[in-house]
Amino acid sequence: MPRRIVIVGCGVSGTTAAFHARKTDRTSEIILVGEESVAEYSRCGLPYAFSGVVESLKALVGYDQSFYESTNRIDLRLGSRATKIDPSPRTIEIQDLVSGRNQTLGYDSLILTTGASPGTLSVPGANLQGVFTVRTMNDIERLANHLETVRAKSVAIIGAGLTGSEMAEALVNKGIHPIQAEIVPEILPVILDPDMASIVRERAEKHGVEYHLNSSLDEIIGKEGRVIGVRIAGEKYDVEAVIMAVRVRPNTELAKQAGIQLGESGGIRTDERMKTSARNVYAAGDCVETYDRITKRYVFFQLATTAVRQAMAAGINAAGGDTRYPGSTGVATVKLFGLEVAALGPTTALAEKLGIHPVSVRVTGSTRLHYYPGGNDLTVKLSAHSEDGRLIGAQLIGEEGATLRANFASMAAHLGLTVEEFASIETCYSPPLAPVWDPVTIAAQALVRKLQLANRVESRSK
Ligand SMILES: Cc1cc2nc3c(=O)[nH]c(=O)nc-3n(C[C@H](O)[C@H](O)[C@H](O)COP(=O)(O)OP(=O)(O)OC[C@H]3O[C@@H](n4cnc5c(N)ncnc54)[C@H](O)[C@@H]3O)c2cc1C
């Protein structure tokens, strides 16, 4: 009998797991169950399809159905929800959402890639027509239709993290004024320190984003069942829609019901092979908690990059292979109003909270030598662990070059290099492409000096 692998969730994790399971075991039966009616598409592209930078929502779809079914012999069941897992006889119940018909399937290996759901705020008016989240194609279709119907001039965005910030830019591109509320004092608080985030905020303000920092949403005001305004920190603003872009939650109900262990952060706990506490059950992507190689704890990174690597391991192992997912540095990047913003590692505030006490430097250099036309400023903030000198954080902002340099820093942090080791790595140079001393190297050298100084002061005071 061929091995039967059932995968729940047809997002990027489910699809990646399915393709890698197929590459590992050519004979297995693979069933991919997804509750959405479309096959995997890029959620990361949603803001760009909304703004029109990407031509259509359809363009975000990864593969057509025949690529699953004919090329890879994957039994794709869209519009189907897994409702119950029984790990001891190894069965899973699937409901067809159109017909309502239930089916019980046996499995040899099961992979949970149920993803995450956007959070909402239970303020008065949260159920009014015109309140949206941004997670699915359907969300974007509904939002775009609503804005067109009401001829929206202003939209409130609650939360100034990655998704909220991308949507603010998308609204500006569509000629709609974004009013953005963020409960903490600066934007992008999960990836950037306030001194770095302010560079992005000032650029966004120049493009017309209206921020209300340190401010929470009190209520959504409606008329005849539809949004006409919001009250933020006591002040009323006229808007025709509200986008809730607050923290997402992992979808763990199915796992919980099956008695599968969750971690302290609430996501599904797996080992390095992406195996859960239940026999032959694996998990990957936004529904699991990820080992953070820098802070050495389990966290929610909820990044597509993390998801695909975890899913590759889950798919290979579920199909009889043996590979490991080593954890992540959480390196992330975003482009906002012409600025590349890239970061990894805990912010200074989080590091302090974790008792790491980082030593940091901030340097602004150029992406080319002074005489060569076209160079751009790149601001780099690097942080080191005060005790072992490890590189634990990098935040980079500039019109070009931030993302690839963040990947370079991510490699160093992944390998556990000290800042001194990082500074000693030679980078390439050519006048049209990169300077002799890269801004990241200059920042690393400055950080080495700061660490040496801090150590000297400390040893003198002993
Ligand atoms: C607007 C936006 C922009 C983003 N930009 C970036 C970016 O630039 N870079 C980056 O790295 N990451 C980005 N992300 C995050 C990235 O999209 C996610 O990390 C990634 O989609 C996670 O994939 P997943 O397959 O684990 O989960 P999901 O994409 O959430 O997919 C899970 C799927 O499982 C289905 N499902 C859940 N429960 C069941 C069930 N019981 N039965 C059947 N199906 C079920 C869900 O309906 C869903 O289709 C962005 C996310 C958003 C929303």
Side-chain angles (χ1 to χ4, degrees), residues 304-328:
T305 40
T306 309
V308 292
R309 282 173 172 73
Q310 293 175 338
M312 178 171 76
I316 292 171
N317 293 329
D322 187 17
T323 189
R324 279 163 172 68
Y325 172 73
S328 168

Side-chain angles (χ1 to χ4, degrees), residues 263-333:
E264 272 159 40
S265 60
I268 301 172
R269 171 60 66 87
T270 69
D271 64 12
E272 274 188 314
R273 299 182 71 247
M274 301 315 294
K275 206 181 97 35
T276 70
S277 62
R279 194 161 155 247
N280 292 4
V281 181
Y282 299 80
D286 280 7
C287 61
V288 308
E289 53 175 27
T290 298
Y291 181 65
D292 176 352
R293 290 181 68 92
I294 296 178
T295 63
K296 303 186 188 311
R297 14 164 239 148
Y298 286 89
V299 297
F300 283 126
F301 279 137
Q302 289 168 334
L303 293 165
T305 40
T306 309
V308 292
R309 282 173 172 73
Q310 293 175 338
M312 178 171 76
I316 292 171
N317 293 329
D322 187 17
T323 189
R324 279 163 172 68
Y325 172 73
S328 168
T329 62
V331 63
T333 187

Side-chain angles (χ1 to χ4, degrees), residues 34-50:
E35 67 185 358
E36 290 186 69
S37 56
V38 245
E40 186 270 330
Y41 56 88
S42 167
R43 295 192 197 283
C44 315
L46 290 174
Y48 307 100
F50 169 70

Side-chain angles (χ1 to χ4, degrees), residues 97-295:
L97 295 175
V98 178
S99 67
R101 204 166 47 86
N102 291 310
Q103 189 187 8
T104 303
L105 290 172
Y107 62 81
D108 297 299
S109 298
L110 177 67
I111 308 177
L112 298 177
T113 60
T114 47
S117 297
T120 51
L121 298 175
S122 49
V123 292
N127 294 327
L128 288 166
Q129 194 189 333
V131 180
F132 300 91
T133 53
V134 176
R135 184 79 193 176
T136 64
M137 268 193 186
N138 200 14
D139 291 339
I140 293 294
E141 261 166 3
R142 287 175 39 249
L143 171 65
N145 289 342
H146 176 85
L147 298 183
E148 208 177 302
T149 310
V150 300
R151 300 214 173 106
K153 291 191 186 62
S154 297
V155 170
I157 304 175
I158 312 305
L162 288 170
T163 299
S165 299
E166 286 179 342
M167 289 307 289
E169 185 188 55
L171 286 167
V172 168
N173 285 345
K174 282 174 90 77
I176 297 172
H177 177 57
I179 296 175
Q180 198 161 9
E182 172 54 61
I183 198 160
V184 298
E186 197 43 278
I187 68 167
L188 298 169
V190 174
I191 62 163
L192 294 181
D193 286 347
D195 63 313
M196 295 294 282
S198 63
I199 301 172
V200 188
R201 175 175 48 75
E202 283 163 18
R203 173 69 71 99
E205 281 169 342
K206 281 196 189 121
H207 283 80
V209 183
E210 179 183 330
Y211 289 107
H212 297 272
L213 303 175
N214 255 331
S215 303
S216 59
L217 173 72
D218 304 327
E219 69 168 307
I220 302 170
I221 304 159
K223 192 176 170 194
E224 291 160 10
R226 191 182 264 184
V227 172
I228 57 156
V230 282
R231 197 176 300 280
I232 297 169
E235 293 291 322
K236 183 177 172 279
Y237 303 91
D238 293 339
V239 296
E240 291 84 21
V242 177
I243 298 174
M244 297 272 193
V246 293
R247 209 137 171 67
V248 298
R249 295 171 284 102
N251 293 328
T252 54
E253 298 71 20
L254 204 57
K256 243 191 287 182
Q257 161 273 317
I260 291 171
Q261 190 196 344
L262 304 186
E264 272 159 40
S265 60
I268 301 172
R269 171 60 66 87
T270 69
D271 64 12
E272 274 188 314
R273 299 182 71 247
M274 301 315 294
K275 206 181 97 35
T276 70
S277 62
R279 194 161 155 247
N280 292 4
V281 181
Y282 299 80
D286 280 7
C287 61
V288 308
E289 53 175 27
T290 298
Y291 181 65
D292 176 352
R293 290 181 68 92
I294 296 178
T295 63

